[in-house]
Amino acid sequence: MALPKALENYRQFYRKIKTFQDIGSVLHWDSEVMMPPSGREYRAKQIAEISGLTHEWTVGPEYKDLIEKAVQSLSEVPQTQKSLWEREFSVLEDERKKAEKLPAEFVTEFSETTNLAHAVWAEAKKNQKFSDFSEILEKIVGLSRKQADYIGYTTEPYDVLLDSYEKDAKASEIDQLFQDLKKELVPIVESAPYFESPFSSRTTSKEKQEKLCKRLPPLLGLSFDVSRLDVSHHPFSTSLGKADKRITTRYSESDPLSSIFGVLHETGHSLYEAGLSEIEDWPSPLTEFLSLGIHESQSRLWENQVGRSRSFWEFLYPILISDFGLTEKDISFTDLYKSINSTKKSKIRVEADQVTYNLHIILRFEIERDLINGKIKVKDLPELWNSKVKEYLGLKIENDSEGVLQDIHWSMGGFGYFPTYTLGNIFSSQFFAAFEKETSGYQNSFAKDGDFSSLLKWLRSKIHHQGKIQDVNSLVSSATGESPNAKYLIQYLKSKVSEVGTI
Amino acid sequence: MALPKALENYRQFYRKIKTFQDIGSVLHWDSEVMMPPSGREYRAKQIAEISGLTHEWTVGPEYKDLIEKAVQSLSEVPQTQKSLWEREFSVLEDERKKAEKLPAEFVTEFSETTNLAHAVWAEAKKNQKFSDFSEILEKIVGLSRKQADYIGYTTEPYDVLLDSYEKDAKASEIDQLFQDLKKELVPIVESAPYFESPFSSRTTSKEKQEKLCKRLPPLLGLSFDVSRLDVSHHPFSTSLGKADKRITTRYSESDPLSSIFGVLHETGHSLYEAGLSEIEDWPSPLTEFLSLGIHESQSRLWENQVGRSRSFWEFLYPILISDFGLTEKDISFTDLYKSINSTKKSKIRVEADQVTYNLHIILRFEIERDLINGKIKVKDLPELWNSKVKEYLGLKIENDSEGVLQDIHWSMGGFGYFPTYTLGNIFSSQFFAAFEKETSGYQNSFAKDGDFSSLLKWLRSKIHHQGKIQDVNSLVSSATGESPNAKYLIQYLKSKVSEVGTI
């Protein structure tokens, strides 16, 4: 049956905006991966023009009017389809109304301040001097609190910022999850064994790594008909269109595992995007990714639950040995397996292993929540940071660059972003445990045939094809039978640490 | 001194359109060079949205109004700057008014017909059957004549179509140039010697070719700070922004010269675009390329006048020998030099050498001019084509695919495009002759130091930095001291043919 005309008209406008957002993704991908260096300045202008246009369309009167008429026309829609449409407009209006509440001058000031802050942060980090960054950081904190005031909150300002990345999440609920996790993590970290990487003493050429890495996306279910693998400074994945989901990695000759895990991680993100694009209605507001935590759960699941599993490596180990021109005597299966599940306390988040990583996130969440809620001051950050690192990881921070200045996020005004990383780890463990319970013998297909389709099929139906139909809590509950909880992540890490400690 | 506000406002709108056109170039480059195969359908939509938007802005009331106000404000501009501004608005309004004269339904019908025709042409070519293509070609010819009627002409409808590619050119003037050329060319072709390529009996890997090819753009003055060299099905060059001019080539293991000449040709195009971007006012209507003939003159000049010269190869030959892992015994300088200046009559334009190429163009010009002017009919094309090939090249066409169906241009409605290729050859010879006359000892810099800066400097000042300030005839006259004429191309080809015939 044909849609009421008003729904078609609104959808057409929505799709125009989406097409231009995807054009922005092409410009961004090219700038990170292909563009000659001198192209930067003009490209920034091109990207700004596209963002300006899509923002203008999103908050403009034409779209508002089309949406109002579309909502009115819902009375003509068959009863069975009504709730889906209502969900669509609720998702859409929530975003649009938030945008409407921010005055244009505020948006400009925020963007100018954070643009400026990036350079200030980079310079301060280079000079290991937090005090050079504190003035502009105070301004960003002030603007972020102002943003929370414009949009409005019931419990605490931080919730508003969190909501931009993790829809409907509440800081108090995340705090509960994270405290449960922290209590268990600290002793796990103490007992977890460290193993030197067997690759650190040899050189593995970029070409050899690339050969192996190019096998991975198709192996997991991401065909190069709809994807590419390239090199960039920071690995990332991006959707440039319905059937165009690209990933990048980077190659270190002394650490080939980092390119492999980079590819597994980014492939997980792109498999989610590819699954969303399979939804019949694509593109619609309900075929966008649900939240950053759910997005991250898909990358972490393929990186950790699959990529650090025994069955995955039983399949990949002989291929790696052959692609790298080695023999089993050079690097044994056991040494390889132990090293990819090794734990070591470190000061830098992006170098952390799967166990300690979450402690890095929890300390950031605790600090930024208090900062935004006004319980602590910018000038107290270094001391607070260093004392938490001492408490959770037992390490002494020697200078601000390896401490509070290490991450770019706050300079971009990205308060509320950090917790989504650990939410991703929590969700991925819970999803994988549910998949395991439902799927007997999957290890055999992984290990013997390199066949991961049972897992992808499960994720497609339980997560990817669900789009934004439900909220995060409902999605996790309906996929796993339980509310989001840290139990499965704790179980996963405990059993992994104990396994590699005894082989 | 600050510009009158009305001029600034108009320029700002012009620059917005230009930025989006350049975004379209990014989308196009990516689709030809990088995009995974399944991305095609959605990318076509992205490109169509960008073209639609820039067209809408170009012919819309807002721009018209801004231009009118800007023109009125010219009274406030100092006398010394007035004529430049007048030229700018004359160039701009000429294009815009032409676009205004075409009804929207006509533009849609033209675009739908030619989109459809592409597939019909490809299928007919595959089946070697012109009659399968003739019906839709008749429709395209009809629409092209209608286009000429909408826009209006004084002498013949073909002039209108020609004008879209070669501003202000008249078919009667081109015919004069081409007849002069044809008269001389036919006997030159008869006397020109053919030499087998010394590479045809050996394999040259893509990697070796790429190594050599990557030296060429920087050698000629196109740095990889502002450029890239990649592979695509058809070589092309494109400007993606002020400092982002990319080129492509393709590699054949049995014909490495084709990748080298592809790179020289496309580098010539990109050097022109890079020179235009150096004009202080960039981007403005006067910093766009002047005409396709002038654009082609820049690619042909580096491909032929430089790339087939003795001094160029005196520099490059030892590098080629080394990059290809050969010795001078494998391929001698003389054999190489003769083969790159070899002549052979052939049926296919894109495989033709520098001498016979122009006969391919002249026959297309003669045919399409008569077709658009109504002197001949679509159904007569194959016979006419075959008889001209017999007359000019002495070859017998066996089927339509190697004859009238070989080129894509007519299926796209591109009548008036072909002559710009030979205009490029004519201009390039005339430019190079003028440069030679003014620059003593340039051969020594080319051959000994691989230093081509004297030529680039000449082109920058006489051609590139002139932008669209003058029309084509004035540009050629002021750069060379003579009106456009075929004398220098004939001289060049005669002396080349005689040189390689006697060594």
Side-chain angles (χ1 to χ4, degrees):
Chain A
M1 211 195 77
L3 287 181
K5 192 73 188 148
L7 288 178
E8 269 181 25
N9 292 344
Y10 134 73
R11 270 281 182 86
Q12 201 177 352
F13 201 92
Y14 167 85
R15 285 181 176 161
K16 181 174 82 168
I17 296 174
K18 170 78 176 149
T19 302
F20 278 83
Q21 287 167 338
D22 289 338
I23 289 171
S25 300
V26 178
L27 297 175
H28 176 254
W29 177 86
D30 183 81
S31 74
E32 294 296 316
V33 182
M34 293 294 160
M35 191 176 66
S38 298
R40 191 150 302 280
E41 188 182 336
Y42 189 71
R43 178 60 53 85
K45 188 176 150 65
Q46 292 177 325
I47 290 175
E49 288 276 2
I50 291 282
S51 319
L53 199 61
T54 55
H55 179 78
E56 198 181 304
W57 285 336
T58 303
V59 301
E62 187 179 357
Y63 197 30
K64 191 175 177 176
D65 184 54
L66 285 169
I67 293 170
E68 274 168 14
K69 292 205 173 98
V71 170
Q72 283 159 20
S73 81
L74 286 188
S75 56
E76 303 162 41
V77 162
Q79 204 54 38
T80 51
Q81 298 173 22
K82 207 165 229 167
S83 67
L84 258 188
W85 280 106
E86 280 163 0
R87 170 76 183 163
E88 174 162 341
F89 287 111
S90 133
V91 162
L92 193 72
E93 283 299 84
D94 187 78
E95 282 307 305
R96 218 181 48 78
K97 284 186 177 155
K98 260 164 78 173
E100 268 182 355
K101 285 181 185 167
L102 300 176
E105 312 82 64
F106 173 82
V107 174
T108 307
E109 191 184 1
F110 193 91
S111 140
E112 283 173 359
T113 307
T114 51
N115 278 343
L116 194 64
H118 178 263
V120 178
W121 164 76
E123 188 66 17
K125 184 178 174 183
K126 206 178 87 187
N127 298 329
Q128 312 186 337
K129 218 170 152 191
F130 178 76
S131 57
D132 288 351
F133 179 52
S134 58
E135 187 182 330
I136 198 155
L137 181 58
E138 256 170 46
K139 190 165 176 202
I140 296 173
V141 171
L143 288 170
S144 299
R145 299 187 58 170
K146 215 163 160 185
Q147 183 181 340
D149 289 338
Y150 280 128
I151 293 172
Y153 54 89
T154 49
T155 320
E156 54 186 286
Y158 184 74
D159 276 349
V160 175
L161 309 184
L162 190 57
D163 190 82
S164 341
Y165 305 110
E166 194 65 20
K167 189 79 217 117
D168 302 323
K170 301 282 169 236
S172 56
E173 290 170 21
I174 289 183
D175 191 52
Q176 189 57 54
L177 278 174
F178 282 12
Q179 294 313 320
D180 290 349
L181 184 58
K182 188 169 72 178
K183 206 170 54 200
E184 301 273 357
L185 270 182
V186 173
I188 297 176
V189 169
E190 287 313 315
S191 70
Y194 170 69
F195 309 99
E196 179 90 19
S197 163
F199 294 102
S200 58
S201 54
R202 62 179 78 236
T203 293
T204 310
S205 74
K206 176 183 174 298
E207 288 68 31
K208 285 178 181 166
Q209 294 181 52
E210 198 174 52
K211 187 175 178 194
L212 182 67
C213 282
K214 291 220 159 166
R215 297 178 187 276
L216 301 174
L219 186 70
L220 307 188
L222 184 70
S223 147
F224 285 126
D225 277 348
V226 299
S227 187
R228 292 181 53 91
L229 170 62
D230 295 278
V231 175
S232 67
H233 190 63
H234 293 286
F236 71 103
S237 79
T238 177
S239 169
L240 287 70
K242 184 173 169 60
D244 191 347
K245 318 290 181 185
R246 305 186 190 177
I247 63 177
T248 71
T249 191
R250 58 184 165 196
Y251 299 101
S252 152
E253 293 200 334
S254 63
D255 184 12
L257 292 174
S258 106
S259 65
I260 295 171
F261 284 97
V263 171
L264 294 173
H265 181 99
E266 303 306 338
T267 298
H269 279 306
S270 277
L271 282 171
Y272 180 35
E273 289 285 346
L276 289 167
S277 294
E278 286 177 2
I279 302 175
E280 200 191 334
D281 239 15
W282 190 95
S284 91
L286 298 187
T287 67
E288 295 182 13
F289 72 90
L290 180 54
S291 78
L292 280 185
I294 293 297
H295 223 312
E296 192 73 4
S297 78
Q298 299 307 293
S299 56
R300 298 290 177 148
L301 187 146
W302 291 99
E303 177 189 358
N304 294 334
Q305 272 74 23
V306 176
R308 298 186 200 276
S309 71
R310 181 174 278 275
S311 51
F312 177 77
W313 282 99
E314 280 172 4
F315 180 77
L316 200 66
Y317 170 71
I319 299 173
L320 175 144
I321 291 294
S322 151
D323 283 353
F324 286 7
L326 303 172
T327 69
E328 300 193 9
K329 280 184 194 149
D330 295 316
I331 292 182
S332 74
F333 176 85
T334 304
D335 284 347
L336 176 66
Y337 184 64
K338 280 172 15 182
S339 87
I340 62 179
N341 285 292
S342 168
T343 303
K344 187 184 188 181
K345 291 184 253 180
S346 69
K347 299 173 188 172
I348 306 292
R349 177 182 62 87
V350 296
E351 292 167 6
D353 56 75
Q354 60 184 338
V355 183
T356 57
Y357 188 89
N358 301 296
L359 290 173
H360 289 271
I361 296 304
I362 292 171
L363 83 84
R364 282 158 178 75
F365 166 72
E366 292 170 347
I367 291 174
E368 68 176 19
R369 183 188 182 195
D370 283 354
L371 186 64
I372 295 298
N373 292 344
K375 294 191 179 164
I376 58 173
K377 292 201 166 13
V378 165
K379 70 171 172 43
D380 304 324
L381 288 179
E383 206 188 308
L384 198 59
W385 185 283
N386 298 355
S387 77
K388 280 189 190 271
V389 172
K390 186 80 198 154
E391 185 189 345
Y392 302 164
L393 290 160
L395 297 172
K396 184 171 181 323
I397 297 294
E398 306 283 347
N399 64 64
D400 296 336
S401 301
E402 57 174 35
V404 67
L405 282 177
Q406 69 181 265
D407 293 308
I408 197 176
H409 300 57
W410 292 344
S411 77
M412 300 163 67
F415 298 102
Y417 197 113
F418 282 126
T420 68
Y421 294 126
T422 282
L423 286 178
N425 285 331
I426 289 173
F427 299 152
S428 73
S429 301
Q430 195 167 338
F431 290 147
F432 198 78
F435 160 75
E436 270 192 306
K437 217 157 107 186
E438 290 173 34
T439 319
S440 64
Y442 76 90
Q443 293 96 333
N444 219 25
S445 313
F446 283 17
K448 296 266 161 43
D449 311 319
D451 178 358
F452 303 90
S453 59
S454 58
L455 175 57
L456 183 57
K457 200 177 151 199
W458 191 92
L459 294 170
R460 288 279 195 246
S461 96
K462 304 279 184 175
I463 319 287
H464 305 178
H465 293 170
Q466 297 302 315
K468 258 181 161 159
I469 294 172
Q470 311 161 63
D471 65 20
V472 173
N473 283 345
S474 315
L475 180 89
V476 174
S477 301
S478 65
T480 69
E482 288 180 52
S483 299
N485 66 77
K487 190 171 74 185
Y488 296 96
L489 176 56
I490 295 163
Q491 268 180 16
Y492 164 76
L493 294 174
K494 268 190 181 165
S495 81
K496 191 58 84 148
V497 160
S498 120
E499 181 197 2
V500 294
T502 54
I503 51 175
Chain B
M1 210 196 77
L3 286 183
K5 191 72 187 150
L7 288 179
E8 268 180 26
N9 292 343
Y10 133 74
R11 270 284 182 86
Q12 200 177 352
F13 201 92
Y14 167 84
R15 285 181 177 163
K16 181 174 82 165
I17 297 174
K18 170 79 176 148
T19 302
F20 278 83
Q21 287 167 338
D22 289 338
I23 289 171
S25 300
V26 178
L27 296 176
H28 176 255
W29 177 86
D30 182 81
S31 74
E32 294 295 317
V33 183
M34 293 293 159
M35 192 177 65
S38 298
R40 192 149 302 279
E41 188 182 334
Y42 189 72
R43 179 58 56 84
K45 189 176 148 65
Q46 292 176 325
I47 291 175
E49 288 277 2
I50 291 282
S51 321
L53 199 62
T54 53
H55 179 77
E56 199 181 301
W57 285 337
T58 304
V59 301
E62 187 179 355
Y63 197 33
K64 190 174 177 175
D65 184 55
L66 286 168
I67 293 170
E68 273 168 14
K69 293 208 171 95
V71 171
Q72 283 159 21
S73 80
L74 286 187
S75 56
E76 304 162 38
V77 161
Q79 204 56 37
T80 50
Q81 298 172 22
K82 209 166 227 166
S83 68
L84 257 188
W85 280 106
E86 281 164 359
R87 169 76 182 161
E88 174 162 340
F89 287 110
S90 133
V91 162
L92 192 74
E93 283 298 84
D94 187 78
E95 283 307 304
R96 218 181 49 78
K97 283 186 177 156
K98 259 165 78 173
E100 268 182 353
K101 285 181 186 167
L102 300 176
E105 312 81 66
F106 172 82
V107 174
T108 306
E109 192 185 2
F110 193 90
S111 140
E112 283 172 358
T113 307
T114 50
N115 278 342
L116 194 64
H118 177 263
V120 177
W121 164 75
E123 187 67 17
K125 184 177 175 184
K126 206 178 86 187
N127 298 327
Q128 312 186 337
K129 217 170 153 191
F130 179 75
S131 58
D132 288 351
F133 179 53
S134 58
E135 189 182 326
I136 199 154
L137 181 58
E138 256 169 45
K139 190 165 176 202
I140 297 173
V141 172
L143 287 169
S144 300
R145 299 186 57 171
K146 215 163 158 184
Q147 182 181 342
D149 288 339
Y150 280 127
I151 293 171
Y153 54 89
T154 48
T155 320
E156 54 184 288
Y158 183 75
D159 276 349
V160 176
L161 309 184
L162 190 58
D163 189 83
S164 343
Y165 305 109
E166 195 64 21
K167 190 76 218 120
D168 302 322
K170 301 280 169 236
S172 57
E173 290 170 23
I174 289 183
D175 190 53
Q176 189 58 54
L177 278 175
F178 283 10
Q179 294 313 319
D180 290 350
L181 184 57
K182 187 169 72 177
K183 208 170 52 203
E184 302 273 359
L185 270 182
V186 174
I188 297 177
V189 169
E190 287 313 314
S191 70
Y194 170 69
F195 310 98
E196 179 88 21
S197 164
F199 295 101
S200 58
S201 54
R202 64 179 77 236
T203 293
T204 310
S205 73
K206 175 184 173 297
E207 288 68 31
K208 284 177 181 165
Q209 293 182 52
E210 198 174 50
K211 188 176 178 193
L212 182 67
C213 282
K214 291 220 158 169
R215 298 178 186 277
L216 301 174
L219 186 70
L220 307 188
L222 184 68
S223 148
F224 285 125
D225 277 347
V226 298
S227 187
R228 292 181 52 92
L229 170 61
D230 295 279
V231 174
S232 66
H233 190 65
H234 294 287
F236 70 103
S237 79
T238 177
S239 168
L240 287 71
K242 184 173 169 62
D244 191 348
K245 317 289 182 187
R246 305 186 190 177
I247 63 176
T248 71
T249 191
R250 58 182 165 198
Y251 299 101
S252 152
E253 295 200 335
S254 63
D255 184 12
L257 291 175
S258 105
S259 65
I260 295 170
F261 285 96
V263 171
L264 294 173
H265 181 99
E266 303 307 338
T267 298
H269 279 305
S270 277
L271 282 171
Y272 181 34
E273 288 287 344
L276 289 166
S277 294
E278 286 177 2
I279 302 175
E280 199 192 334
D281 238 14
W282 190 94
S284 92
L286 297 186
T287 67
E288 295 182 14
F289 72 89
L290 180 54
S291 77
L292 280 184
I294 293 298
H295 224 311
E296 193 72 4
S297 79
Q298 299 308 293
S299 56
R300 299 290 177 151
L301 186 145
W302 291 99
E303 178 190 357
N304 294 335
Q305 272 74 23
V306 176
R308 298 185 201 276
S309 72
R310 180 173 279 275
S311 50
F312 177 76
W313 282 100
E314 281 172 5
F315 179 76
L316 200 66
Y317 170 72
I319 298 173
L320 175 144
I321 291 294
S322 152
D323 283 352
F324 286 7
L326 303 171
T327 68
E328 301 194 7
K329 278 183 193 149
D330 294 316
I331 293 182
S332 74
F333 177 86
T334 305
D335 285 346
L336 177 66
Y337 185 64
K338 280 174 10 182
S339 87
I340 62 178
N341 286 292
S342 168
T343 303
K344 188 185 188 181
K345 292 184 251 181
S346 70
K347 298 172 187 172
I348 307 293
R349 175 182 62 87
V350 296
E351 293 166 7
D353 57 75
Q354 60 183 337
V355 183
T356 58
Y357 188 90
N358 300 296
L359 290 173
H360 289 271
I361 296 303
I362 293 170
L363 83 85
R364 282 158 179 75
F365 165 72
E366 291 170 347
I367 291 174
E368 67 176 20
R369 183 188 184 195
D370 282 353
L371 186 64
I372 294 297
N373 292 344
K375 294 191 178 164
I376 58 172
K377 292 202 165 11
V378 166
K379 71 171 169 47
D380 303 324
L381 287 179
E383 207 188 307
L384 198 61
W385 185 284
N386 299 353
S387 77
K388 281 189 188 271
V389 172
K390 185 82 199 152
E391 185 188 344
Y392 302 164
L393 290 160
L395 298 173
K396 183 170 178 329
I397 297 294
E398 306 284 348
N399 64 63
D400 296 336
S401 302
E402 58 173 36
V404 67
L405 283 177
Q406 69 181 264
D407 292 310
I408 198 176
H409 300 58
W410 292 345
S411 77
M412 300 164 66
F415 297 102
Y417 198 113
F418 283 126
T420 68
Y421 293 125
T422 283
L423 286 177
N425 286 331
I426 289 172
F427 299 152
S428 72
S429 301
Q430 195 167 338
F431 290 146
F432 198 79
F435 160 76
E436 270 192 306
K437 217 157 108 186
E438 292 173 31
T439 319
S440 64
Y442 76 89
Q443 293 97 331
N444 219 23
S445 311
F446 284 16
K448 296 267 162 44
D449 312 319
D451 177 357
F452 303 91
S453 59
S454 58
L455 175 58
L456 184 57
K457 199 176 153 198
W458 191 93
L459 293 170
R460 288 280 194 246
S461 96
K462 304 279 183 174
I463 318 287
H464 305 177
H465 293 170
Q466 297 302 314
K468 258 180 160 159
I469 294 171
Q470 311 163 65
D471 65 21
V472 173
N473 282 345
S474 315
L475 180 89
V476 173
S477 300
S478 66
T480 69
E482 287 180 52
S483 300
N485 66 79
K487 189 171 75 187
Y488 296 96
L489 176 57
I490 295 162
Q491 268 180 15
Y492 165 75
L493 293 174
K494 268 190 182 162
S495 82
K496 190 59 82 146
V497 159
S498 120
E499 180 196 2
V500 293
T502 53
I503 51 176

